[in-house]
Amino acid sequence: SYVISMDQLESAKKKLKTALDEQERACGNIIHEQDEMESKLLERLKLLDEKKLKCTAENGNMNASDNDLIEINAAGKIIAAKRGTLCQLKGMKNLIKGTRFEALFSGRWDKKLLRDGSGRIFLDVNGDCFQAIVDYLNELAISSEDERPITPTIEDDYKPILAQYMRLFGLTAIPQIPQLKHLEKRRRQRISTMRKMRRMGMFEMVAPEVNSKSPEVDRFAKDVNKAISEKW
């Protein structure tokens, strides 16, 4: 039988300790990098909020509320919806915030948007396709977290137009931007997960998916186009 000497056992223990220490350092480095990225994100969100507030004071409605009824003239088709439905700003359904669609109806540009003779927001878009988007958002607002609608639906002849509008408004890959109050909880969860991965020897970094760039917005006033393209 093979007998392990004390020297061999001690050597194996040292190698194991060295490997564990290296993984611990790697884990610590990744957590540190993530914390730095998170800190930069928080700073950027803070600056963006300040920019949005200044923009609203100059060009929009400081009293905008989720309960406001928004009337839209979509090339002759009158569509009405609550601002909160169009923007989906609150709770776990935080799916529209940060898109061009939210920027357009957030209230930050109310003074700059083109209006018809009755004071409705006028959009030179296909009314049926725009109605399909609003219907989708209405369904999204009342759906559960586990049964969200997938995409808007429309007749086949209009599907290419609807797809173009979804890209234009940034709704093809709806981002989930974390709200500030959730960041600390997510950081703790990430640290816990990384520690479990370290113990199991499962250390792997996965690159995030990069969405294709949406087409430029060019159908509103110049400064509004720029702001909506930049999603603020």
Side-chain angles (χ1 to χ4, degrees):
S1 61
Y2 183 77
V3 179
I4 301 176
S5 68
M6 292 299 295
D7 289 342
Q8 289 174 319
L9 182 59
E10 188 64 28
S11 176
K13 287 172 63 178
K14 287 181 179 179
K15 289 180 180 179
L16 179 59
K17 185 178 185 304
T18 298
L20 289 174
D21 288 344
E22 288 177 354
Q23 285 200 340
E24 184 72 36
R25 283 194 296 271
C27 179
N29 289 337
I30 291 177
I31 291 173
H32 178 69
E33 290 173 2
Q34 293 290 317
D35 285 343
E36 285 188 338
M37 291 175 61
E38 189 173 281
S39 178
K40 291 178 181 178
L41 174 61
L42 289 171
E43 182 62 26
R44 289 178 61 186
L45 288 174
K46 179 182 176 182
L47 293 175
L48 182 59
D49 284 340
E50 292 174 354
K51 188 175 183 180
K52 287 180 178 179
L53 185 61
K54 181 180 178 181
C55 169
T56 304
E58 295 176 353
N59 305 299
N61 178 6
M62 292 292 290
N63 298 315
S65 165
D66 284 357
N67 292 322
D68 293 342
L69 183 64
I70 308 297
E71 290 191 334
I72 302 159
N73 181 342
K77 187 179 184 70
I78 307 303
I79 300 170
K82 292 174 67 175
R83 192 187 302 276
T85 299
L86 297 174
C87 297
Q88 304 273 321
L89 294 178
K90 294 182 177 180
M92 293 301 292
K93 295 186 178 72
N94 183 24
L95 299 175
I96 308 302
K97 188 174 183 181
T99 67
R100 292 172 173 179
F101 203 87
E102 186 267 337
L104 180 61
F105 297 109
S106 63
R108 295 190 292 274
W109 296 99
D110 276 8
K111 295 177 184 177
K112 293 270 187 171
L113 296 177
L114 183 64
R115 305 275 175 170
D116 66 10
S118 299
R120 306 182 186 95
I121 296 173
F122 180 82
L123 299 179
D124 188 14
V125 296
N126 180 283
D128 292 331
C129 291
F130 197 83
Q131 180 72 67
I133 293 176
V134 174
D135 290 344
Y136 164 72
L137 295 180
N138 273 314
E139 188 177 353
L140 180 66
I142 62 175
S143 65
S144 68
E145 296 298 320
D146 298 328
E147 297 181 351
R148 289 193 183 118
I150 300 174
T151 56
T153 57
I154 200 168
E155 296 176 7
D156 289 345
D157 290 346
Y158 293 109
K159 284 183 177 179
I161 301 174
L162 177 60
Q164 172 63 16
Y165 289 172
M166 293 291 284
R167 289 192 295 271
L168 175 69
F169 290 116
L171 300 176
T172 52
I174 299 174
Q176 297 198 34
I177 300 177
Q179 296 196 27
L180 299 183
K181 63 182 180 180
H182 298 312
L183 287 177
E184 179 59 24
K185 179 180 179 181
R186 294 187 63 177
R187 186 183 73 85
R188 291 196 300 268
Q189 291 174 338
R190 186 176 63 247
I191 292 173
S192 176
T193 299
M194 286 184 173
R195 285 174 176 166
K196 290 178 182 178
M197 291 172 65
R198 178 187 61 78
R199 288 196 297 268
M200 299 173 64
M202 299 169 55
F203 238 47
E204 182 178 2
M205 291 296 290
V206 180
E209 294 184 2
V210 179
N211 296 320
S212 58
K213 186 177 180 181
S214 299
E216 291 296 319
V217 177
D218 61 0
R219 59 183 66 226
F220 306 107
K222 183 177 179 180
D223 48 0
V224 178
N225 289 333
K226 182 176 184 297
I228 292 174
S229 292
E230 295 177 0
K231 304 175 188 177
W232 61 273

